[in-house]
Short mmCIF file of all heavy atoms in Angstrom, two decimals:
data_model
loop_
_atom_site.label_atom_id
_atom_site.label_comp_id
_atom_site.label_asym_id
_atom_site.label_seq_id
_atom_site.Cartn_x
_atom_site.Cartn_y
_atom_site.Cartn_z
N LEU Y 239 13.96 -4.61 11.61
CA LEU Y 239 12.55 -4.54 11.23
C LEU Y 239 12.34 -5.42 10.01
O LEU Y 239 13.00 -5.26 8.98
CB LEU Y 239 12.14 -3.11 10.87
CG LEU Y 239 10.74 -2.91 10.30
CD1 LEU Y 239 9.67 -3.25 11.36
CD2 LEU Y 239 10.54 -1.48 9.79
N MET Y 240 11.40 -6.36 10.12
CA MET Y 240 10.97 -7.16 8.96
C MET Y 240 9.71 -6.49 8.42
O MET Y 240 8.71 -6.38 9.14
CB MET Y 240 10.70 -8.59 9.38
CG MET Y 240 10.32 -9.51 8.22
SD MET Y 240 9.95 -11.18 8.84
CE MET Y 240 9.68 -12.04 7.28
N PHE Y 241 9.77 -6.04 7.17
CA PHE Y 241 8.67 -5.21 6.65
C PHE Y 241 8.38 -5.59 5.20
O PHE Y 241 9.26 -6.04 4.48
CB PHE Y 241 9.05 -3.74 6.73
CG PHE Y 241 7.90 -2.78 6.67
CD1 PHE Y 241 7.00 -2.68 7.71
CD2 PHE Y 241 7.71 -1.98 5.55
CE1 PHE Y 241 5.91 -1.81 7.66
CE2 PHE Y 241 6.64 -1.10 5.47
CZ PHE Y 241 5.74 -1.00 6.54
N SER Y 242 7.12 -5.39 4.79
CA SER Y 242 6.75 -5.68 3.41
C SER Y 242 7.16 -4.49 2.54
O SER Y 242 6.67 -3.37 2.74
CB SER Y 242 5.23 -5.92 3.28
OG SER Y 242 4.49 -4.79 3.71
N VAL Y 243 8.04 -4.74 1.61
CA VAL Y 243 8.56 -3.67 0.74
C VAL Y 243 8.41 -4.11 -0.72
O VAL Y 243 9.05 -5.06 -1.16
CB VAL Y 243 10.05 -3.38 1.03
CG1 VAL Y 243 10.54 -2.24 0.11
CG2 VAL Y 243 10.28 -3.02 2.49
N ASN Y 244 7.55 -3.42 -1.42
CA ASN Y 244 7.42 -3.61 -2.87
C ASN Y 244 6.75 -2.36 -3.44
O ASN Y 244 6.17 -1.57 -2.69
CB ASN Y 244 6.68 -4.90 -3.22
CG ASN Y 244 5.22 -4.89 -2.82
OD1 ASN Y 244 4.46 -4.06 -3.28
ND2 ASN Y 244 4.83 -5.81 -1.93
N PRO Y 245 6.83 -2.15 -4.75
CA PRO Y 245 6.37 -0.87 -5.31
C PRO Y 245 4.87 -0.63 -5.21
O PRO Y 245 4.43 0.51 -5.39
CB PRO Y 245 6.83 -0.94 -6.78
CG PRO Y 245 7.03 -2.39 -7.05
CD PRO Y 245 7.50 -2.97 -5.77
N CYS Y 246 4.08 -1.66 -4.96
CA CYS Y 246 2.63 -1.42 -4.79
C CYS Y 246 2.27 -1.20 -3.34
O CYS Y 246 1.51 -0.28 -3.02
CB CYS Y 246 1.85 -2.59 -5.39
SG CYS Y 246 1.85 -2.53 -7.21
N ASP Y 247 2.80 -2.03 -2.43
CA ASP Y 247 2.55 -1.77 -1.00
C ASP Y 247 3.01 -0.37 -0.62
O ASP Y 247 2.37 0.29 0.21
CB ASP Y 247 3.33 -2.78 -0.14
CG ASP Y 247 2.68 -4.17 -0.15
OD1 ASP Y 247 1.73 -4.39 -0.94
OD2 ASP Y 247 3.13 -5.03 0.62
N ASP Y 248 4.09 0.09 -1.23
CA ASP Y 248 4.65 1.38 -0.87
C ASP Y 248 3.76 2.57 -1.25
O ASP Y 248 4.00 3.69 -0.83
CB ASP Y 248 6.04 1.57 -1.51
CG ASP Y 248 7.14 0.98 -0.68
OD1 ASP Y 248 6.86 0.56 0.47
OD2 ASP Y 248 8.30 0.94 -1.14
N LEU Y 249 2.73 2.31 -2.04
CA LEU Y 249 1.78 3.37 -2.40
C LEU Y 249 0.63 3.50 -1.43
O LEU Y 249 -0.10 4.50 -1.44
CB LEU Y 249 1.22 3.09 -3.80
CG LEU Y 249 2.22 3.19 -4.95
CD1 LEU Y 249 1.66 2.50 -6.18
CD2 LEU Y 249 2.53 4.63 -5.27
N GLN Y 250 0.46 2.49 -0.57
CA GLN Y 250 -0.73 2.47 0.28
C GLN Y 250 -0.40 2.99 1.69
O GLN Y 250 0.64 2.68 2.24
CB GLN Y 250 -1.27 1.03 0.38
CG GLN Y 250 -1.78 0.49 -0.93
CD GLN Y 250 -2.96 1.28 -1.47
OE1 GLN Y 250 -3.67 1.96 -0.74
NE2 GLN Y 250 -3.17 1.19 -2.79
N PRO Y 251 -1.32 3.75 2.26
CA PRO Y 251 -1.10 4.30 3.61
C PRO Y 251 -1.17 3.22 4.68
O PRO Y 251 -1.67 2.12 4.42
CB PRO Y 251 -2.24 5.31 3.78
CG PRO Y 251 -3.31 4.80 2.88
CD PRO Y 251 -2.60 4.21 1.69
N GLY Y 252 -0.67 3.55 5.85
CA GLY Y 252 -0.64 2.59 6.94
C GLY Y 252 -2.05 2.24 7.41
O GLY Y 252 -2.96 3.05 7.33
N GLY Y 253 -2.22 1.02 7.90
CA GLY Y 253 -3.49 0.58 8.42
C GLY Y 253 -3.33 -0.77 9.05
O GLY Y 253 -2.33 -1.46 8.83
N GLU Y 254 -4.31 -1.18 9.85
CA GLU Y 254 -4.21 -2.44 10.57
C GLU Y 254 -4.61 -3.64 9.70
O GLU Y 254 -4.28 -4.76 10.04
CB GLU Y 254 -5.08 -2.38 11.83
CG GLU Y 254 -4.62 -1.32 12.81
CD GLU Y 254 -5.47 -1.33 14.07
OE1 GLU Y 254 -6.08 -2.35 14.39
OE2 GLU Y 254 -5.51 -0.27 14.74
N ASN Y 255 -5.31 -3.40 8.60
CA ASN Y 255 -5.73 -4.50 7.74
C ASN Y 255 -4.76 -4.63 6.58
O ASN Y 255 -4.85 -3.93 5.57
CB ASN Y 255 -7.15 -4.23 7.21
CG ASN Y 255 -7.62 -5.37 6.30
OD1 ASN Y 255 -7.06 -6.46 6.29
ND2 ASN Y 255 -8.68 -5.09 5.55
N CYS Y 256 -3.81 -5.57 6.71
CA CYS Y 256 -2.79 -5.71 5.67
C CYS Y 256 -3.38 -6.26 4.37
O CYS Y 256 -2.75 -6.15 3.31
CB CYS Y 256 -1.64 -6.59 6.14
SG CYS Y 256 -2.10 -8.30 6.53
N GLU Y 257 -4.58 -6.83 4.41
CA GLU Y 257 -5.21 -7.30 3.19
C GLU Y 257 -5.44 -6.16 2.20
O GLU Y 257 -5.48 -6.36 1.00
CB GLU Y 257 -6.54 -7.98 3.51
CG GLU Y 257 -6.44 -9.23 4.38
CD GLU Y 257 -5.73 -10.36 3.68
OE1 GLU Y 257 -5.86 -10.47 2.45
OE2 GLU Y 257 -5.04 -11.13 4.36
N SER Y 258 -5.61 -4.95 2.74
CA SER Y 258 -5.86 -3.80 1.86
C SER Y 258 -4.68 -3.50 0.96
O SER Y 258 -4.84 -2.84 -0.08
CB SER Y 258 -6.19 -2.56 2.71
OG SER Y 258 -5.06 -2.18 3.49
N LEU Y 259 -3.49 -3.99 1.33
CA LEU Y 259 -2.31 -3.69 0.53
C LEU Y 259 -2.40 -4.32 -0.86
O LEU Y 259 -1.82 -3.81 -1.81
CB LEU Y 259 -1.06 -4.21 1.23
CG LEU Y 259 -0.69 -3.51 2.54
CD1 LEU Y 259 0.49 -4.21 3.20
CD2 LEU Y 259 -0.38 -2.03 2.31
N TRP Y 260 -3.07 -5.45 -0.96
CA TRP Y 260 -3.20 -6.09 -2.28
C TRP Y 260 -4.65 -6.21 -2.73
O TRP Y 260 -4.97 -7.04 -3.58
CB TRP Y 260 -2.48 -7.43 -2.31
CG TRP Y 260 -2.69 -8.30 -1.14
CD1 TRP Y 260 -3.68 -9.20 -0.95
CD2 TRP Y 260 -1.87 -8.40 0.03
NE1 TRP Y 260 -3.54 -9.84 0.26
CE2 TRP Y 260 -2.44 -9.36 0.89
CE3 TRP Y 260 -0.70 -7.74 0.43
CZ2 TRP Y 260 -1.88 -9.70 2.11
CZ3 TRP Y 260 -0.15 -8.08 1.67
CH2 TRP Y 260 -0.72 -9.04 2.48
N ASP Y 261 -5.50 -5.38 -2.21
CA ASP Y 261 -6.88 -5.32 -2.68
C ASP Y 261 -6.94 -4.46 -3.94
O ASP Y 261 -6.63 -3.27 -3.91
CB ASP Y 261 -7.76 -4.71 -1.57
CG ASP Y 261 -9.25 -4.73 -1.94
OD1 ASP Y 261 -9.58 -4.87 -3.15
OD2 ASP Y 261 -10.07 -4.59 -1.03
N GLY Y 262 -7.31 -5.08 -5.04
CA GLY Y 262 -7.30 -4.39 -6.33
C GLY Y 262 -8.13 -3.12 -6.35
O GLY Y 262 -7.81 -2.17 -7.10
N GLU Y 263 -9.17 -3.06 -5.54
CA GLU Y 263 -10.01 -1.86 -5.54
C GLU Y 263 -9.26 -0.63 -5.08
O GLU Y 263 -9.57 0.49 -5.48
CB GLU Y 263 -11.23 -2.09 -4.61
CG GLU Y 263 -12.23 -3.12 -5.15
CD GLU Y 263 -13.46 -3.22 -4.28
OE1 GLU Y 263 -13.58 -2.41 -3.32
OE2 GLU Y 263 -14.31 -4.08 -4.58
N ASN Y 264 -8.23 -0.83 -4.24
CA ASN Y 264 -7.47 0.31 -3.74
C ASN Y 264 -6.53 0.90 -4.79
O ASN Y 264 -5.88 1.93 -4.54
CB ASN Y 264 -6.66 -0.10 -2.50
CG ASN Y 264 -7.54 -0.42 -1.33
OD1 ASN Y 264 -8.64 0.11 -1.21
ND2 ASN Y 264 -7.08 -1.31 -0.45
N TYR Y 265 -6.42 0.23 -5.94
CA TYR Y 265 -5.54 0.72 -7.01
C TYR Y 265 -6.32 1.22 -8.21
O TYR Y 265 -5.74 1.51 -9.26
CB TYR Y 265 -4.58 -0.39 -7.44
CG TYR Y 265 -3.62 -0.81 -6.34
CD1 TYR Y 265 -3.98 -1.78 -5.43
CD2 TYR Y 265 -2.37 -0.22 -6.23
CE1 TYR Y 265 -3.11 -2.18 -4.41
CE2 TYR Y 265 -1.51 -0.60 -5.21
CZ TYR Y 265 -1.89 -1.58 -4.32
OH TYR Y 265 -1.02 -1.96 -3.30
N GLN Y 266 -7.64 1.34 -8.08
CA GLN Y 266 -8.45 1.78 -9.20
C GLN Y 266 -8.33 3.28 -9.43
O GLN Y 266 -8.40 3.76 -10.55
CB GLN Y 266 -9.92 1.39 -8.99
CG GLN Y 266 -10.14 -0.12 -8.97
CD GLN Y 266 -9.59 -0.80 -10.20
OE1 GLN Y 266 -9.88 -0.40 -11.34
NE2 GLN Y 266 -8.79 -1.84 -9.99
N LYS Y 267 -8.17 4.02 -8.34
CA LYS Y 267 -8.00 5.48 -8.49
C LYS Y 267 -6.58 5.79 -8.91
O LYS Y 267 -5.67 4.99 -8.69
CB LYS Y 267 -8.32 6.18 -7.17
CG LYS Y 267 -7.40 5.80 -6.03
CD LYS Y 267 -7.84 6.50 -4.75
CE LYS Y 267 -6.88 6.21 -3.60
NZ LYS Y 267 -6.76 4.79 -3.25
N PRO Y 268 -6.32 6.94 -9.54
CA PRO Y 268 -4.97 7.30 -9.91
C PRO Y 268 -4.07 7.38 -8.68
O PRO Y 268 -4.44 7.93 -7.64
CB PRO Y 268 -5.14 8.67 -10.55
CG PRO Y 268 -6.55 8.73 -11.00
CD PRO Y 268 -7.32 7.94 -9.96
N LEU Y 269 -2.89 6.80 -8.78
CA LEU Y 269 -1.94 6.79 -7.67
C LEU Y 269 -0.66 7.47 -8.10
O LEU Y 269 -0.10 7.20 -9.17
CB LEU Y 269 -1.66 5.35 -7.23
CG LEU Y 269 -2.82 4.61 -6.59
CD1 LEU Y 269 -2.48 3.13 -6.44
CD2 LEU Y 269 -3.15 5.20 -5.23
N LEU Y 270 -0.14 8.33 -7.23
CA LEU Y 270 1.06 9.10 -7.57
C LEU Y 270 2.01 9.12 -6.37
O LEU Y 270 1.65 9.59 -5.29
CB LEU Y 270 0.69 10.52 -7.94
CG LEU Y 270 1.84 11.48 -8.29
CD1 LEU Y 270 2.53 11.03 -9.55
CD2 LEU Y 270 1.31 12.91 -8.45
N ASN Y 271 3.19 8.54 -6.55
CA ASN Y 271 4.26 8.60 -5.56
C ASN Y 271 4.04 7.72 -4.32
O ASN Y 271 2.94 7.29 -4.03
CB ASN Y 271 4.57 10.05 -5.14
CG ASN Y 271 5.23 10.82 -6.25
OD1 ASN Y 271 5.81 10.24 -7.16
ND2 ASN Y 271 5.13 12.12 -6.21
N MET Y 272 5.12 7.52 -3.61
CA MET Y 272 5.13 6.67 -2.45
C MET Y 272 4.37 7.29 -1.28
O MET Y 272 4.37 8.49 -1.09
CB MET Y 272 6.58 6.41 -2.03
CG MET Y 272 6.74 5.42 -0.86
SD MET Y 272 8.47 5.24 -0.36
CE MET Y 272 9.18 4.53 -1.85
N ASP Y 273 3.71 6.42 -0.48
CA ASP Y 273 3.05 6.89 0.74
C ASP Y 273 4.11 7.54 1.63
O ASP Y 273 5.14 6.92 1.92
CB ASP Y 273 2.39 5.73 1.45
CG ASP Y 273 1.83 6.15 2.79
OD1 ASP Y 273 0.92 6.99 2.81
OD2 ASP Y 273 2.35 5.67 3.83
N PRO Y 274 3.89 8.78 2.07
CA PRO Y 274 4.92 9.47 2.84
C PRO Y 274 5.28 8.78 4.15
O PRO Y 274 6.42 8.90 4.63
CB PRO Y 274 4.33 10.86 3.09
CG PRO Y 274 2.86 10.72 2.82
CD PRO Y 274 2.73 9.64 1.80
N GLU Y 275 4.33 8.05 4.76
CA GLU Y 275 4.65 7.35 6.01
C GLU Y 275 5.65 6.21 5.76
O GLU Y 275 6.54 5.97 6.59
CB GLU Y 275 3.38 6.79 6.64
CG GLU Y 275 2.46 7.87 7.19
CD GLU Y 275 1.19 7.31 7.79
OE1 GLU Y 275 0.54 6.46 7.13
OE2 GLU Y 275 0.85 7.70 8.90
N ARG Y 276 5.50 5.51 4.66
CA ARG Y 276 6.44 4.44 4.34
C ARG Y 276 7.83 5.00 4.03
O ARG Y 276 8.84 4.47 4.48
CB ARG Y 276 5.93 3.61 3.18
CG ARG Y 276 4.76 2.73 3.56
CD ARG Y 276 4.17 1.98 2.38
NE ARG Y 276 3.15 1.06 2.87
CZ ARG Y 276 3.39 -0.20 3.21
NH1 ARG Y 276 4.59 -0.70 3.06
NH2 ARG Y 276 2.43 -0.96 3.69
#
């Protein structure tokens, strides 16, 4: 499996739009711990 692995992507839930992984707006709310699916 070739997969994107870094400490910020790992906080975001799965979805079809990979652009959301580095969309700054998705990090404005408090984030705690790794996404359980990842």
Side-chain angles (χ1 to χ4, degrees):
L239 174 66
M240 183 182 184
F241 199 71
S242 61
V243 181
N244 66 61
C246 286
D247 285 8
D248 274 353
L249 293 163
Q250 295 297 337
E254 297 182 23
N255 180 16
C256 63
E257 297 294 327
S258 65
L259 294 174
W260 44 87
D261 185 341
E263 292 185 5
N264 293 332
Y265 296 87
Q266 294 307 309
K267 62 183 184 300
L269 292 170
L270 178 66
N271 290 339
M272 184 183 296
D273 174 64
E275 289 179 312
R276 288 176 173 268

